[in-house]
Amino acid sequence: MKLKLVLFFVYFSCCFSACHPQQNDAVLKSTAKKPDYTIGKASEDGIGKFYLGREIAHVMGASGSDWLERDDRDKEENTSLAIAKIQLPVNGVVADIGAGTGYYSFRLAAKVPQGKVYAVEIQDEMIALLKNKKQQLKDSVVDIIKSTVLSANLPPNSTDLAIMTDVYHELKYPAEMLRSIYNALKSDGKLLLIEYRGEDASIPIKALHKTTVAQLNKELNANGFKLSFKGDFLPIQHFLLFEKIKKPSDKAE
């Protein structure tokens, strides 16, 4: 597993370099107007934009679709257990944000046969893959939604659970996206983050693609969420469930 993961991130570092040339300084500075965003020197795997002290990682491109659907993903990450631990009523509404190929989306659909899964994705290539898979599976539960860097584009007060699997650390505008998710969640709605454990140096994932509970708490607390459940049962990832506590502050606007 370690060799595969290391090779994967070496490969995608090359993809990022090709797909994300040096960003224009004026563009970067324009994103630093909010007090919690700062601009600094970009690391090999980052965009040079920081949120509450954490550098934001490059987005994985659609060329990684095969890796998302690899045969041994369940063995490496125990995705079956992660999905089993997700509690939803049969008529629940769940949003898979950064859905990618729909690996989680279509598996979650089986848990809400009378409900809905929003597969939220920003990349056109991934959206095409989602539409093709939906057609192949003859699915009637998953709705595909195109997001923006600022918003998940979900209906307000519509969602029981939003989930991001190895996605949050790549959000270019985390505060704005969290506000969008906050507004989409019902009053008792939850947000689940599944992220590689940044506290564990033995996990062979590059630093910007791992996160710590302390940093996630800092960022989520600043945007109206608090940690309600911390699961330590996955091999290499955090399973963190957040609930709404208050309306995000004006400084996140």
Side-chain angles (χ1 to χ4, degrees), residues 69-111:
E69 295 288 342
R70 66 196 185 278
D71 292 338
D72 52 0
R73 182 174 179 180
D74 188 27
K75 181 180 179 180
E76 292 174 355
E77 300 180 1
N78 206 345
T79 55
S80 294
L81 179 59
I83 291 167
K85 292 287 188 177
I86 295 172
Q87 302 298 311
L88 289 164
V90 294
N91 63 345
V93 177
V94 57
D96 182 14
I97 299 170
T101 59
Y103 183 93
Y104 270 80
S105 301
F106 293 101
R107 287 167 173 79
L108 287 169
K111 299 178 75 81

Short mmCIF file of all heavy atoms in Angstrom, two decimals, residues 69-111:
data_model
loop_
_atom_site.label_atom_id
_atom_site.label_comp_id
_atom_site.label_asym_id
_atom_site.label_seq_id
_atom_site.Cartn_x
_atom_site.Cartn_y
_atom_site.Cartn_z
N GLU A 69 -10.91 4.65 -8.40
CA GLU A 69 -11.69 3.43 -8.55
C GLU A 69 -10.82 2.17 -8.48
O GLU A 69 -11.27 1.10 -8.89
CB GLU A 69 -12.43 3.48 -9.89
CG GLU A 69 -13.49 4.58 -9.99
CD GLU A 69 -14.73 4.30 -9.15
OE1 GLU A 69 -14.94 3.12 -8.77
OE2 GLU A 69 -15.48 5.25 -8.87
N ARG A 70 -9.60 2.27 -7.97
CA ARG A 70 -8.70 1.13 -7.94
C ARG A 70 -9.29 -0.03 -7.14
O ARG A 70 -10.05 0.17 -6.17
CB ARG A 70 -7.35 1.54 -7.35
CG ARG A 70 -7.38 1.94 -5.88
CD ARG A 70 -6.11 2.70 -5.49
NE ARG A 70 -6.04 2.98 -4.07
CZ ARG A 70 -6.66 4.01 -3.49
NH1 ARG A 70 -7.42 4.83 -4.21
NH2 ARG A 70 -6.54 4.21 -2.19
N ASP A 71 -8.94 -1.23 -7.53
CA ASP A 71 -9.53 -2.44 -6.95
C ASP A 71 -9.22 -2.60 -5.47
O ASP A 71 -10.02 -3.16 -4.72
CB ASP A 71 -9.04 -3.68 -7.70
CG ASP A 71 -9.59 -3.75 -9.12
OD1 ASP A 71 -10.62 -3.12 -9.39
OD2 ASP A 71 -8.95 -4.42 -9.95
N ASP A 72 -8.03 -2.13 -5.06
CA ASP A 72 -7.64 -2.34 -3.66
C ASP A 72 -7.90 -1.13 -2.77
O ASP A 72 -7.36 -1.04 -1.67
CB ASP A 72 -6.17 -2.76 -3.56
CG ASP A 72 -5.23 -1.81 -4.29
OD1 ASP A 72 -5.73 -0.82 -4.88
OD2 ASP A 72 -4.01 -2.05 -4.28
N ARG A 73 -8.72 -0.20 -3.23
CA ARG A 73 -9.01 0.97 -2.40
C ARG A 73 -9.68 0.58 -1.09
O ARG A 73 -9.35 1.12 -0.03
CB ARG A 73 -9.89 1.97 -3.17
CG ARG A 73 -10.17 3.23 -2.35
CD ARG A 73 -10.90 4.30 -3.13
NE ARG A 73 -11.16 5.46 -2.29
CZ ARG A 73 -11.79 6.56 -2.69
NH1 ARG A 73 -12.21 6.67 -3.94
NH2 ARG A 73 -11.99 7.56 -1.85
N ASP A 74 -10.61 -0.36 -1.15
CA ASP A 74 -11.30 -0.77 0.07
C ASP A 74 -10.32 -1.41 1.05
O ASP A 74 -10.37 -1.16 2.26
CB ASP A 74 -12.43 -1.75 -0.26
CG ASP A 74 -13.30 -2.06 0.94
OD1 ASP A 74 -13.40 -1.20 1.84
OD2 ASP A 74 -13.90 -3.15 0.98
N LYS A 75 -9.38 -2.19 0.53
CA LYS A 75 -8.40 -2.83 1.40
C LYS A 75 -7.49 -1.79 2.04
O LYS A 75 -7.15 -1.89 3.23
CB LYS A 75 -7.56 -3.82 0.59
CG LYS A 75 -6.51 -4.56 1.41
CD LYS A 75 -5.73 -5.53 0.54
CE LYS A 75 -4.66 -6.24 1.35
NZ LYS A 75 -3.88 -7.20 0.51
N GLU A 76 -7.10 -0.78 1.30
CA GLU A 76 -6.18 0.24 1.80
C GLU A 76 -6.85 1.21 2.77
O GLU A 76 -6.25 1.62 3.76
CB GLU A 76 -5.57 1.01 0.63
CG GLU A 76 -4.64 0.19 -0.23
CD GLU A 76 -4.18 0.94 -1.47
OE1 GLU A 76 -4.66 2.07 -1.71
OE2 GLU A 76 -3.34 0.40 -2.20
N GLU A 77 -8.09 1.60 2.46
CA GLU A 77 -8.76 2.65 3.24
C GLU A 77 -9.94 2.15 4.05
O GLU A 77 -10.48 2.89 4.88
CB GLU A 77 -9.25 3.76 2.29
CG GLU A 77 -8.14 4.43 1.50
CD GLU A 77 -8.65 5.52 0.58
OE1 GLU A 77 -9.87 5.77 0.54
OE2 GLU A 77 -7.83 6.13 -0.13
N ASN A 78 -10.36 0.90 3.84
CA ASN A 78 -11.56 0.34 4.47
C ASN A 78 -12.77 1.24 4.23
O ASN A 78 -13.47 1.66 5.16
CB ASN A 78 -11.35 0.10 5.97
CG ASN A 78 -12.26 -1.00 6.49
OD1 ASN A 78 -13.22 -1.39 5.83
ND2 ASN A 78 -11.96 -1.51 7.68
N THR A 79 -13.00 1.51 2.96
CA THR A 79 -14.14 2.35 2.58
C THR A 79 -15.46 1.69 2.97
O THR A 79 -16.44 2.39 3.26
CB THR A 79 -14.12 2.64 1.07
OG1 THR A 79 -14.07 1.39 0.36
CG2 THR A 79 -12.91 3.47 0.69
N SER A 80 -15.51 0.37 2.96
CA SER A 80 -16.75 -0.33 3.35
C SER A 80 -17.13 0.01 4.78
O SER A 80 -18.31 0.23 5.09
CB SER A 80 -16.57 -1.84 3.20
OG SER A 80 -16.40 -2.20 1.86
N LEU A 81 -16.13 0.05 5.66
CA LEU A 81 -16.40 0.38 7.06
C LEU A 81 -16.82 1.84 7.18
O LEU A 81 -17.75 2.17 7.93
CB LEU A 81 -15.16 0.12 7.91
CG LEU A 81 -15.28 0.46 9.40
CD1 LEU A 81 -16.40 -0.33 10.04
CD2 LEU A 81 -13.96 0.21 10.12
N ALA A 82 -16.15 2.73 6.45
CA ALA A 82 -16.52 4.14 6.50
C ALA A 82 -17.97 4.34 6.10
O ALA A 82 -18.73 5.06 6.78
CB ALA A 82 -15.60 4.96 5.58
N ILE A 83 -18.38 3.68 5.02
CA ILE A 83 -19.76 3.82 4.56
C ILE A 83 -20.73 3.18 5.55
O ILE A 83 -21.81 3.72 5.82
CB ILE A 83 -19.91 3.21 3.15
CG1 ILE A 83 -19.14 4.08 2.14
CG2 ILE A 83 -21.37 3.08 2.74
CD1 ILE A 83 -18.93 3.45 0.79
N ALA A 84 -20.34 2.05 6.14
CA ALA A 84 -21.20 1.40 7.14
C ALA A 84 -21.42 2.28 8.36
O ALA A 84 -22.49 2.24 8.99
CB ALA A 84 -20.58 0.07 7.56
N LYS A 85 -20.42 3.09 8.71
CA LYS A 85 -20.51 3.96 9.89
C LYS A 85 -21.35 5.22 9.63
O LYS A 85 -21.69 5.93 10.58
CB LYS A 85 -19.11 4.38 10.33
CG LYS A 85 -18.26 3.25 10.90
CD LYS A 85 -18.73 2.84 12.28
CE LYS A 85 -17.78 1.86 12.93
NZ LYS A 85 -18.21 1.50 14.31
N ILE A 86 -21.66 5.50 8.38
CA ILE A 86 -22.45 6.68 8.05
C ILE A 86 -23.93 6.36 8.29
O ILE A 86 -24.50 5.47 7.66
CB ILE A 86 -22.23 7.11 6.59
CG1 ILE A 86 -20.77 7.56 6.41
CG2 ILE A 86 -23.19 8.23 6.20
CD1 ILE A 86 -20.39 7.83 4.96
N GLN A 87 -24.52 7.08 9.23
CA GLN A 87 -25.90 6.83 9.62
C GLN A 87 -26.84 7.77 8.88
O GLN A 87 -26.73 8.99 8.98
CB GLN A 87 -26.06 7.00 11.14
CG GLN A 87 -25.17 6.09 11.98
CD GLN A 87 -25.48 4.62 11.74
OE1 GLN A 87 -26.64 4.21 11.78
NE2 GLN A 87 -24.44 3.84 11.49
N LEU A 88 -27.78 7.18 8.14
CA LEU A 88 -28.75 7.96 7.38
C LEU A 88 -30.10 7.24 7.38
O LEU A 88 -30.14 6.01 7.28
CB LEU A 88 -28.30 8.13 5.93
CG LEU A 88 -27.11 9.06 5.65
CD1 LEU A 88 -26.56 8.80 4.26
CD2 LEU A 88 -27.53 10.51 5.82
N PRO A 89 -31.19 7.99 7.46
CA PRO A 89 -32.50 7.36 7.28
C PRO A 89 -32.69 6.97 5.81
O PRO A 89 -32.01 7.51 4.93
CB PRO A 89 -33.48 8.47 7.69
CG PRO A 89 -32.75 9.73 7.43
CD PRO A 89 -31.30 9.44 7.71
N VAL A 90 -33.60 6.06 5.54
CA VAL A 90 -33.79 5.58 4.16
C VAL A 90 -34.25 6.69 3.23
O VAL A 90 -34.06 6.62 2.01
CB VAL A 90 -34.79 4.41 4.11
CG1 VAL A 90 -34.22 3.20 4.82
CG2 VAL A 90 -36.14 4.81 4.69
N ASN A 91 -34.83 7.75 3.81
CA ASN A 91 -35.27 8.89 2.99
C ASN A 91 -34.35 10.09 3.17
O ASN A 91 -34.73 11.23 2.89
CB ASN A 91 -36.71 9.27 3.33
CG ASN A 91 -36.88 9.73 4.77
OD1 ASN A 91 -35.99 9.51 5.60
ND2 ASN A 91 -38.00 10.34 5.08
N GLY A 92 -33.14 9.85 3.65
CA GLY A 92 -32.21 10.93 3.91
C GLY A 92 -31.67 11.58 2.64
O GLY A 92 -31.72 11.01 1.55
N VAL A 93 -31.13 12.78 2.82
CA VAL A 93 -30.50 13.52 1.72
C VAL A 93 -29.05 13.76 2.10
O VAL A 93 -28.74 14.34 3.14
CB VAL A 93 -31.21 14.86 1.48
CG1 VAL A 93 -30.50 15.65 0.38
CG2 VAL A 93 -32.68 14.64 1.12
N VAL A 94 -28.15 13.28 1.25
CA VAL A 94 -26.72 13.40 1.51
C VAL A 94 -26.05 14.06 0.32
O VAL A 94 -26.43 13.83 -0.83
CB VAL A 94 -26.09 12.01 1.82
CG1 VAL A 94 -26.33 11.04 0.70
CG2 VAL A 94 -24.60 12.13 2.10
N ALA A 95 -25.07 14.92 0.59
CA ALA A 95 -24.31 15.59 -0.46
C ALA A 95 -22.87 15.11 -0.40
O ALA A 95 -22.19 15.28 0.61
CB ALA A 95 -24.38 17.10 -0.28
N ASP A 96 -22.42 14.50 -1.49
CA ASP A 96 -21.03 14.06 -1.62
C ASP A 96 -20.29 15.14 -2.38
O ASP A 96 -20.39 15.24 -3.61
CB ASP A 96 -20.99 12.72 -2.38
CG ASP A 96 -19.58 12.17 -2.52
OD1 ASP A 96 -18.67 12.67 -1.82
OD2 ASP A 96 -19.39 11.25 -3.33
N ILE A 97 -19.57 15.99 -1.65
CA ILE A 97 -18.94 17.18 -2.23
C ILE A 97 -17.52 16.85 -2.67
O ILE A 97 -16.72 16.35 -1.89
CB ILE A 97 -18.97 18.33 -1.21
CG1 ILE A 97 -20.43 18.66 -0.88
CG2 ILE A 97 -18.25 19.56 -1.76
CD1 ILE A 97 -20.60 19.60 0.28
N GLY A 98 -17.24 17.15 -3.93
CA GLY A 98 -16.00 16.68 -4.53
C GLY A 98 -16.14 15.21 -4.86
O GLY A 98 -15.26 14.40 -4.58
N ALA A 99 -17.25 14.87 -5.48
CA ALA A 99 -17.64 13.47 -5.66
C ALA A 99 -16.69 12.69 -6.55
O ALA A 99 -16.63 11.46 -6.47
CB ALA A 99 -19.06 13.39 -6.24
N GLY A 100 -15.96 13.38 -7.42
CA GLY A 100 -15.04 12.68 -8.31
C GLY A 100 -15.75 11.73 -9.24
O GLY A 100 -16.64 12.11 -9.99
N THR A 101 -15.39 10.44 -9.16
CA THR A 101 -16.00 9.42 -10.01
C THR A 101 -17.30 8.88 -9.42
O THR A 101 -17.94 8.02 -10.03
CB THR A 101 -15.03 8.25 -10.19
OG1 THR A 101 -14.72 7.70 -8.90
CG2 THR A 101 -13.75 8.70 -10.89
N GLY A 102 -17.66 9.35 -8.23
CA GLY A 102 -18.87 8.85 -7.58
C GLY A 102 -18.64 7.59 -6.77
O GLY A 102 -19.60 6.88 -6.43
N TYR A 103 -17.38 7.32 -6.42
CA TYR A 103 -17.07 6.12 -5.65
C TYR A 103 -17.94 6.05 -4.39
O TYR A 103 -18.52 4.99 -4.08
CB TYR A 103 -15.59 6.11 -5.28
CG TYR A 103 -15.15 4.87 -4.53
CD1 TYR A 103 -14.63 3.78 -5.21
CD2 TYR A 103 -15.23 4.80 -3.14
CE1 TYR A 103 -14.22 2.63 -4.53
CE2 TYR A 103 -14.83 3.66 -2.45
CZ TYR A 103 -14.33 2.59 -3.15
OH TYR A 103 -13.93 1.46 -2.46
N TYR A 104 -18.02 7.14 -3.66
CA TYR A 104 -18.88 7.19 -2.47
C TYR A 104 -20.33 7.45 -2.83
O TYR A 104 -21.25 6.89 -2.22
CB TYR A 104 -18.37 8.24 -1.49
CG TYR A 104 -17.38 7.72 -0.48
CD1 TYR A 104 -16.04 7.55 -0.80
CD2 TYR A 104 -17.77 7.37 0.82
CE1 TYR A 104 -15.12 7.06 0.12
CE2 TYR A 104 -16.87 6.89 1.75
CZ TYR A 104 -15.54 6.73 1.40
OH TYR A 104 -14.63 6.23 2.31
N SER A 105 -20.58 8.31 -3.80
CA SER A 105 -21.95 8.73 -4.12
C SER A 105 -22.87 7.55 -4.38
O SER A 105 -23.97 7.45 -3.80
CB SER A 105 -21.95 9.65 -5.35
OG SER A 105 -21.16 10.79 -5.15
N PHE A 106 -22.46 6.66 -5.27
CA PHE A 106 -23.34 5.57 -5.66
C PHE A 106 -23.43 4.49 -4.61
O PHE A 106 -24.42 3.76 -4.53
CB PHE A 106 -22.90 5.01 -7.02
CG PHE A 106 -23.10 6.00 -8.14
CD1 PHE A 106 -22.03 6.73 -8.63
CD2 PHE A 106 -24.36 6.21 -8.67
CE1 PHE A 106 -22.22 7.66 -9.64
CE2 PHE A 106 -24.56 7.14 -9.69
CZ PHE A 106 -23.49 7.87 -10.18
N ARG A 107 -22.43 4.37 -3.76
CA ARG A 107 -22.52 3.45 -2.63
C ARG A 107 -23.45 4.02 -1.55
O ARG A 107 -24.19 3.28 -0.90
CB ARG A 107 -21.12 3.17 -2.07
CG ARG A 107 -20.28 2.26 -2.96
CD ARG A 107 -18.82 2.26 -2.56
NE ARG A 107 -18.03 1.26 -3.30
CZ ARG A 107 -17.59 1.43 -4.54
NH1 ARG A 107 -17.85 2.58 -5.18
NH2 ARG A 107 -16.89 0.47 -5.14
N LEU A 108 -23.39 5.32 -1.35
CA LEU A 108 -24.30 5.95 -0.38
C LEU A 108 -25.74 5.89 -0.86
O LEU A 108 -26.67 5.87 -0.04
CB LEU A 108 -23.89 7.40 -0.16
CG LEU A 108 -22.61 7.62 0.66
CD1 LEU A 108 -22.17 9.07 0.59
CD2 LEU A 108 -22.82 7.20 2.11
N ALA A 109 -25.95 5.85 -2.16
CA ALA A 109 -27.32 5.79 -2.70
C ALA A 109 -28.06 4.57 -2.19
O ALA A 109 -29.29 4.60 -1.98
CB ALA A 109 -27.27 5.79 -4.23
N ALA A 110 -27.33 3.48 -1.95
CA ALA A 110 -27.96 2.27 -1.44
C ALA A 110 -28.49 2.45 -0.02
O ALA A 110 -29.39 1.71 0.41
CB ALA A 110 -26.97 1.11 -1.48
N LYS A 111 -27.96 3.42 0.71
CA LYS A 111 -28.41 3.68 2.08
C LYS A 111 -29.65 4.56 2.14
O LYS A 111 -30.31 4.64 3.16
CB LYS A 111 -27.27 4.33 2.89
CG LYS A 111 -26.02 3.47 3.01
CD LYS A 111 -24.92 4.17 3.79
CE LYS A 111 -25.18 4.20 5.28
NZ LYS A 111 -24.82 2.94 5.96
#
